[in-house]
Amino acid sequence: MEALMQQYRTYLVKDRKLSSNTLESYQRDLQQFFAYLGEQGVPHPSDASQTTLIGYCLSMEHKGRAPSTIARNVASLRCFYHYLLQQQMIRQNPAEQLESPRSQKRLPSILSFDEVEKLLHQPSGKGFKAYRDKAMLELLYATGIRVSELISLHLKDVDLSLGFVRCCQERSRERIIPLGSKAIESVRRYLEKYRPHSDQTLLFLNVQGKPLTRQGFWKIVKSYAVKAGIDKPITPHTLRHSFATHLLQNGADLQAVQEMMGHSDISTTQVYAQMIHSRIKDVYNKAHPRA
């Protein structure tokens, strides 16, 4: 067995060119699998059947292993048995039809309506920074665009008279997203009174009249979240997630939200609907006397 593992390791390094971390994971997975074979009285990996491999996956599930861990083990077994087939050590690959468990998508963190209101009211006072930050936050929550898309917007991309923003990232098609009155008002005030004169055509600039960075913007958001007393973790997508969830909570059509978010697959948008259903169920379980 040791000779086989050494030959297999050489194959992973030279032919598959796996990273050292992946290599160690694959080998660790196989050692655990070999231990299982010994418990089942299977003398050699080449003697394992598809039923044996399914039994191994079920045993991991019964031990409470995470779906991602089981999926990695399945990948390890597929690679290993593909190698055995190449070396003509087996006639049929028992891992060929082995299915990986579907890992559950982690539900994103969002802000409540009240938390969003508190956050949007934080930029205060007169001057460039307060009005720029107010305009950025209002626009981000009004459209659900990505932070990278927000800081890449040009003056020509925003039509305040018709009330829409044009958004087009690389490798994705153009999206036209409507603007609400609050966002229109904030952006107009910023443009008319406080945007610095600059050769830059970008909509939002820093205090030096240069492009904003993604990191710089989220430092701004985090500082306002602290001022608003919001103790939830703020990520680059928090307002984007909140935008989608709040729209669906208020009866928006799922496909319309998908279009505005720029999701190529509607299953990505359905995560937000799943969040709403999950919370409704929690409310029911807590409030219904016979739940």
Side-chain angles (χ1 to χ4, degrees), residues 19-31:
S19 68
S20 57
N21 286 340
T22 304
L23 183 65
E24 294 303 319
S25 295
Y26 273 29
Q27 289 195 297
R28 186 169 56 251
D29 292 343
L30 285 177
Q31 292 297 340

Side-chain angles (χ1 to χ4, degrees), residues 50 53-54 74 78 81 92-100:
Q50 184 181 42
L53 270 59
I54 293 173
V74 169
R78 284 175 179 164
Y81 278 98
Q92 289 185 327
N93 185 349
E96 189 174 8
Q97 302 298 324
L98 204 59
E99 294 185 0
S100 297

Side-chain angles (χ1 to χ4, degrees), residues 4-109:
L4 172 61
M5 287 303 296
Q6 186 57 49
Q7 293 166 4
Y8 180 57
R9 183 185 178 91
T10 302
Y11 161 77
L12 293 178
V13 173
K14 291 187 175 180
D15 293 13
R16 297 296 297 269
K17 301 187 185 305
L18 297 186
S19 68
S20 57
N21 286 340
T22 304
L23 183 65
E24 294 303 319
S25 295
Y26 273 29
Q27 289 195 297
R28 186 169 56 251
D29 292 343
L30 285 177
Q31 292 297 340
Q32 294 174 359
F33 173 61
F34 294 159
Y36 172 81
L37 292 182
E39 294 170 0
Q40 301 300 310
V42 179
H44 193 272
S46 60
D47 298 316
S49 65
Q50 184 181 42
T51 303
T52 308
L53 270 59
I54 293 173
Y56 177 59
C57 292
L58 289 174
S59 72
M60 286 190 288
E61 187 178 325
H62 292 156
K63 290 177 181 178
R65 300 285 175 83
S68 58
T69 300
I70 299 175
R72 193 198 63 229
N73 273 268
V74 169
S76 300
L77 291 173
R78 284 175 179 164
C79 185
F80 178 66
Y81 278 98
H82 176 73
Y83 171 75
L84 294 186
L85 189 66
Q86 277 188 333
Q87 299 300 310
Q88 298 182 343
M89 297 181 67
I90 55 174
R91 294 183 178 180
Q92 289 185 327
N93 185 349
E96 189 174 8
Q97 302 298 324
L98 204 59
E99 294 185 0
S100 297
R102 292 184 178 181
S103 57
Q104 288 186 333
K105 291 185 177 180
R106 183 176 297 177
L107 298 181
S109 174

Side-chain angles (χ1 to χ4, degrees), residues 203-236:
L203 176 61
F204 295 115
L205 304 171
N206 64 20
V207 291
Q208 287 82 35
K210 296 180 180 179
L212 280 165
T213 65
R214 190 171 181 269
Q215 292 79 9
F217 173 76
W218 277 103
K219 286 181 181 178
I220 294 170
V221 175
K222 288 180 180 179
S223 68
Y224 287 132
V226 171
K227 289 181 180 179
I230 299 171
D231 57 3
K232 292 179 180 177
I234 298 291
T235 72

